[in-house]
Amino acid sequence: MPTLTCLSAADLRQAVLRFRDALRAHQEELNRLNVYPVPDGDTGTNMALTLESVSAELQTAESMDEVCHAVSRGSLMGARGNSGVITSQILRGLVEGFRSLESVGATDLRAGLRRGTDAAYEAVMRPVEGTILTVVRSAAEAVEALEALEGELTLDALLERAYDAACAAVELTPTLLPALRDAGVVDAGGKGFTLLLAALREVVSGRAIPEPDTVAAPAVVTAHLAGDDLSSLRYEVMYLLEAPADSMPAFRNTWGAIGDSIVVVGGDGLWNCHIHTNDIGGAVEAGIDAGRPRKIRITDLIEQVEEERWVREADVIADLDEFASQETVTTAVVAVGVGEGIRRLLTSLGVQQVVAGGQSMNPSTAQILEAVELCRAESVIVLPNNKNIVAVAKQVDVLSEKQVAVIATHSVPEALAALVEYDPNAAIAVNATSMQDALSRVRTGEVTQAVRTASVDGTEVREGDWIALARDGVIGAAGSPADAVYKLLDVLVDDDSEIVTVLVGCDAPAKDTERIREHIEYTFPNLEVEFHDGGQPLYPYLVGVE
């Protein structure tokens, strides 16, 4: 391919998408390198998820201004974790000066690297060298040193110089940061940043992005993921903050007194804020004092380790001794579900036992009874999550000495809505009433594929059609899973709806998932939208509307 002398809007868009692809490919490698600021093994995941948000914004972007706006907005709104927030600021600074240009040349890109560097340093309250900050600064300084050759500078030469300098800086990070030196690794975020330069270089000159290295997880990461070496700062708090710029210095000072790993990025009245702290209330109240926090996400880093362990060991059946170590509660919950993502969601909301099963593999009464008996509680609520399992679940009460109540959930989204009201320390009657009330406020549907031609609930369905099913039956059929979800949303969403939750199945086409996301944001702009990886088979999408 010919070497480009400048980047058009389409070239820039392609480079960002290739950066996303590279982060996907290198995700596990970057996770294994992640030992700072917390050895939680999620840097690759957070950077990849941040770029997924950018990619979604880029779907309809064509002009340079639209591409830059998509990169800026997508990275701000979708930034995940400390590494994702810093990456978002690098991207926002990089493209800030490109919007009015027809194309991006070498000098424009050099200026963009400097803006990205400055923006990243400004975002971090306590910059630490030996991290992604050092790597992006080294790349910017290396190309600025070429200024004397500006008349002869080419885009290809600039990117080659920036990439080489960034890679060299990555190799030096252990000499600057003791945590890296002790673990025997380079900085994960810095190595992730080199993939952005590699993606730009690939678009410009065709040189391939490097393949991932095989990296063993350092002992400190393994210990952390096993729960043996947790940070003294237990909680990660993130939210979007609508606030004027003049309120931010006081906000930063308040956060500086209560936590660490603080990153605040944004502008024009909207900020993405990240902190590790033990003072959740103080972290949120600081946002209220400054403006209006929204999309607040609080992660218990200790519980996160337990959830990650559950996912990694999902195929291992725990023995009775492990179950016996569970905390005794007043009322426990057993739920039926299939898919690792669904298991993770259910357990994160307090479910003690998940029984494998669904539409095509209904569990027996004996299996549900066994799960009930394993719960450390004298009272247990069962969520069958399928209408075909409700009757089976109701047999358990007469077979167990425990008090058992069944909330007749027909789907996992219904269970998630009910679990929001679950209180493990409340009596079973109180829980049953509040959870049933929550169930009445959610409308759910699912998408599956017809295995034969038939007339179902008055709807003609052909073999291979995608069927939209609501609680009361078939809504319609469509030619793709995304089109079936659209039919569901038309029925489920009304003027009082606030939140849409979509559980994505293991076989859901990625392009359909992005189409659904765009459709919801365009058609229902006032709704909050949550996508979760459910991993369920046969049903590419489960949908809940509250």
Side-chain angles (χ1 to χ4, degrees), residues 216-414:
V220 65
V221 174
T222 303
H224 181 88
L225 293 177
D228 300 331
D229 184 26
L230 297 172
S231 167
S232 61
L233 296 176
R234 175 167 179 167
Y235 301 99
E236 178 185 64
V237 179
M238 289 190 70
Y239 51 75
L240 293 175
L241 177 61
E242 296 176 357
D246 58 10
S247 70
M248 298 310 293
F251 172 82
R252 292 173 189 266
N253 288 339
T254 300
W255 266 25
I258 63 172
D260 207 340
S261 297
I262 299 168
V263 185
V264 179
V265 303
D268 297 325
L270 183 63
W271 313 83
N272 194 317
C273 309
H274 171 282
I275 186 175
H276 288 174
T277 183
N278 287 326
D279 187 357
I280 297 173
V284 175
E285 287 170 5
I288 296 172
D289 290 341
R292 176 176 175 263
R294 56 187 178 89
K295 293 190 176 180
I296 299 171
R297 185 166 71 247
I298 299 169
T299 301
D300 185 323
L301 297 174
I302 294 176
E303 289 186 359
Q304 182 185 52
V305 167
E306 294 303 316
E307 291 173 23
E308 289 168 350
R309 182 187 299 166
W310 177 283
V311 171
R312 293 193 305 274
E313 301 174 356
D315 58 340
V316 179
I317 299 176
D319 59 25
L320 292 176
D321 289 337
E322 182 178 346
F323 287 132
S325 68
Q326 290 183 345
E327 179 182 358
T328 299
V329 297
T330 303
T331 303
V333 177
V334 168
V336 178
V338 64
E340 293 307 320
I342 285 175
R343 289 165 66 93
R344 184 175 65 250
L345 284 168
L346 291 171
T347 55
S348 72
L349 289 171
V351 172
Q352 281 84 347
Q353 302 295 327
V354 178
V355 180
Q359 179 70 24
S360 63
M361 43 183 174
N362 298 166
S364 65
T365 299
Q367 288 174 301
I368 299 175
L369 175 62
E370 180 183 16
V372 167
E373 297 301 327
L374 287 171
C375 290
R376 298 275 290 180
E378 292 304 311
S379 300
V380 181
I381 288 175
V382 178
L383 303 175
N385 299 336
N386 188 287
K387 65 180 181 180
N388 295 332
I389 305 174
V390 173
V392 172
K394 286 183 175 179
Q395 303 302 310
V396 174
D397 187 40
V398 298
L399 299 172
S400 175
E401 293 183 0
K402 298 183 178 183
Q403 185 179 7
V404 179
V406 176
I407 306 295
T409 51
H410 286 191
S411 66
V412 172
E414 288 185 357

Side-chain angles (χ1 to χ4, degrees), residues 13 63 89 124 133 141-142 145-146 175 179 200 224 232 270 295 321 356 432 479 503 513:
R13 179 179 181 277
S63 69
Q89 200 69 348
V124 180
L133 298 176
E141 290 176 348
L146 296 173
T175 68
L200 286 163
H224 181 88
S232 61
L270 183 63
K295 293 190 176 180
D321 289 337
L503 303 183
T513 302

Side-chain angles (χ1 to χ4, degrees), residues 17 29 50 65 75 93 98 167 177 216 219 238 248 255 290 305 338 351-352 377 437 490 502:
L17 293 176
E29 174 195 0
T50 300
D65 180 65
S75 60
F98 298 167
C167 291
L177 197 55
M238 289 190 70
M248 298 310 293
W255 266 25
V305 167
V338 64
V351 172
Q352 281 84 347
D437 289 343
D490 287 341
V502 180

